[in-house]
Amino acid sequence: MADMSGMGKEEAVEDLLRRHAPQVLGALVRRYGHFDAAEDAVQEALLAAARQWPESGTPDNPRGWLIRVASRRLTDLLRADEARARREETAARLELRETRAAPSDDDTLTLLFLCCDPVLAPAARVALTLRAVGGLTTAEIARAHLVPEATIAQRISRAKQKLKDRRFHQPGPGDRDARLATVLQVLYLIFNEGYTATSGPDLHRADLAREAIRLTRAVRRLLPREGAVTGLLALMLLTEARSAARTGPHGELIPLDEQDRTLWDAAAIAEGTALVEEALTEGPPGPYQLQAAIAALHDEARRAGDTDWPQILALYDLLVAQSAGSPDPMAELGRVVAVAMVHGPDSGLAALAALEPRLPHHHRLEAVRAHLLERTGATEAALTAYRTAARLTLSVPERHYLETKAARLTK
């Protein structure tokens, strides 16, 4: 039995189970399908481990122990659910086979591929990924997204039903890149919702941001030479590095140019910057690499006035040109800010007017408009734009910030 000294037994077991759970589920479902039944079996194995291991000690091969127990439970579930002939055939195929087959870390990636199957709606992909791969409970996912637990439970249940009869395997060469792109998109959605919550009383939901980083690290361990994966991890680290300076003592939003940069996480910035440099050597730069390079330029500036805005604008130009076939309005909005910083607020307002048809009635577009109008001295127009932005946002900290900016213009 393995030693668990150095931290509480319960905490050590919980950490161990969290790391192994997606690999155990992946090992079962990759070979046998039955996603829903396999997840139930894995949950029972995890509960058994949580009860037994703190008292009896961790097995020398904890993942093998979990697979063995989960396989037996899955056999029982299938025997109960299937016709006799099918039941016996499945039981014979399952019996102890998993205890001999060494599970692979690739099972985590394969499980991510399955959870991000194109047949699922985007919201279902996020919920299922957090549940099956991230190990979050349905209640935790619901709290993170500020929706009723029953809504998340329904999303997950429907997703598992859609995947019920799909075989679990790595996508072939023809669709691997597309599926990986979907996985990265889901991870980035999870991170963005954690870093800047789209609604609710909190600006930052650290649990979601940390979970997205953890999962992206896991993908990078499996795909260490994929530039998009490296770039996404760099982007997350460089962005999350600023989190401690983004809010004041009462939770109020502090914009980037006003933040106390001594509060930024220097270690995360160093790691992220090194990853950017590595990502840019791993093939032509894609959107994650370019966004990470932009984030690195922001993080490397000791003062807001030291920011290399011409280089940031050049990177945004590449990013926008690269996505010409499927424009990213948020990337274009970032470019508008860079245009204004390099060429002045009037140029920024002209670029904003060209973007507006693709991002109508969005609070961030109105907030940028307000800021640029304020810089030109158009106080009344800026006041109207700040109030419009405040009305449109669902985020309480963002609304308070925009209302404060508007109030200052009335003095």
Side-chain angles (χ1 to χ4, degrees):
M1 292 289 180
D3 179 37
M4 290 189 295
S5 60
M7 66 186 300
K9 289 183 179 181
E10 289 78 8
E11 291 83 357
V13 167
E14 182 179 348
D15 181 64
L16 198 61
L17 296 179
R18 187 180 184 87
R19 283 187 284 125
H20 286 311
Q23 297 166 356
V24 174
L25 179 58
L28 261 67
V29 186
R30 174 168 51 85
R31 293 174 175 85
Y32 308 116
H34 302 286
F35 186 99
D36 203 12
E39 195 198 22
D40 289 342
V42 170
Q43 290 301 314
E44 294 201 18
L46 295 174
L47 288 173
R51 287 193 300 266
Q52 297 177 31
W53 292 0
E55 297 299 325
S56 62
T58 306
D60 293 332
N61 181 6
R63 190 162 50 183
W65 188 98
L66 290 167
I67 287 177
R68 181 169 60 255
V69 173
S71 295
R72 290 172 178 168
R73 180 53 181 154
L74 180 58
T75 301
D76 292 341
L77 290 171
L78 293 175
R79 281 173 173 161
D81 292 342
E82 297 176 0
R84 181 180 180 83
R86 173 67 173 168
R87 175 181 77 211
E88 292 176 354
E89 176 188 348
T90 303
R93 183 158 46 91
L94 277 170
E95 190 67 35
L96 295 182
R97 179 174 171 181
E98 283 297 333
T99 65
R100 296 191 297 269
S104 167
D105 284 343
D106 288 346
D107 288 327
T108 299
L109 182 61
T110 309
L111 186 57
L112 271 168
F113 279 139
L114 184 69
C115 291
C116 297
D117 193 301
V119 302
L120 302 179
R125 294 175 200 163
V126 169
L128 191 61
T129 297
L130 288 172
R131 178 75 174 85
V133 189
L136 274 65
T137 66
T138 304
E140 288 171 331
I141 300 169
R143 283 197 300 271
H145 287 87
L146 299 181
V147 297
E149 184 175 347
T151 300
I152 293 296
Q154 189 176 58
R155 285 179 192 172
I156 293 173
S157 177
R158 288 176 177 173
K160 291 194 291 187
Q161 282 300 311
K162 284 190 176 182
L163 298 177
K164 185 175 182 180
D165 298 321
R166 295 177 78 85
R167 295 299 296 172
F168 198 63
H169 56 77
Q170 294 274 10
D175 64 351
R176 176 190 173 280
D177 288 348
R179 185 65 69 85
L180 178 60
T182 301
V183 168
L184 298 183
Q185 182 184 46
V186 167
L187 295 178
Y188 194 31
L189 284 171
I190 294 170
F191 176 80
N192 279 334
E193 184 59 29
Y195 186 73
T196 302
T198 55
S199 62
D202 300 317
L203 181 70
H204 184 236
R205 296 175 191 157
D207 53 345
L208 281 183
R210 286 195 299 264
E211 189 59 28
I213 291 173
R214 186 185 74 83
L215 293 175
T216 306
R217 284 192 187 279
V219 175
R220 185 171 180 270
R221 282 196 298 271
L222 300 168
L223 300 173
R225 301 298 299 172
E226 286 281 350
V229 178
T230 305
L232 179 57
L233 178 58
L235 174 58
M236 290 179 177
L237 290 171
L238 290 164
T239 306
E240 180 67 10
R242 310 177 203 134
S243 61
R246 293 179 69 228
T247 55
H250 304 294
E252 66 272 21
L253 184 153
I254 301 176
L256 181 62
D257 60 346
E258 298 176 17
Q259 289 175 14
D260 178 357
R261 299 184 179 217
T262 64
L263 298 176
W264 289 1
D265 187 336
I269 292 172
E271 182 185 2
T273 301
L275 287 171
V276 171
E277 295 172 357
E278 181 180 333
L280 293 175
T281 69
E282 296 171 345
Y288 297 122
Q289 295 96 309
L290 292 173
Q291 290 179 79
I294 291 169
L297 288 171
H298 281 297
D299 287 10
E300 288 170 346
R302 293 192 175 186
R303 299 175 303 152
D306 297 333
T307 306
D308 189 348
W309 282 107
Q311 182 61 27
I312 288 175
L313 177 57
L315 289 168
Y316 268 120
D317 285 340
L318 286 174
L319 182 60
V320 171
Q322 192 178 82
S323 62
S326 54
D328 178 357
M330 286 302 160
E332 294 185 68
L333 189 59
R335 180 184 176 276
V336 167
V337 175
V339 167
M341 295 303 295
V342 175
H343 300 297
D346 288 325
S347 296
L349 286 167
L352 193 70
L355 171 61
E356 187 168 7
R358 294 195 297 282
L359 203 62
H361 309 300
H362 197 288
H363 76 278
R364 288 188 181 148
L365 183 140
E366 292 297 333
V368 170
R369 189 202 310 280
H371 175 67
L372 298 182
L373 287 168
E374 184 179 1
R375 285 181 57 193
T376 67
T379 303
E380 287 301 320
L383 177 61
T384 299
Y386 276 129
R387 287 172 172 168
T388 300
R391 187 176 67 253
L392 290 173
T393 185
L394 298 177
S395 166
V396 174
E398 286 187 344
R399 184 169 66 249
H400 287 169
Y401 169 76
L402 293 164
E403 289 172 344
T404 300
K405 293 289 286 186
R408 287 175 181 169
L409 292 181
T410 62
K411 293 180 180 179

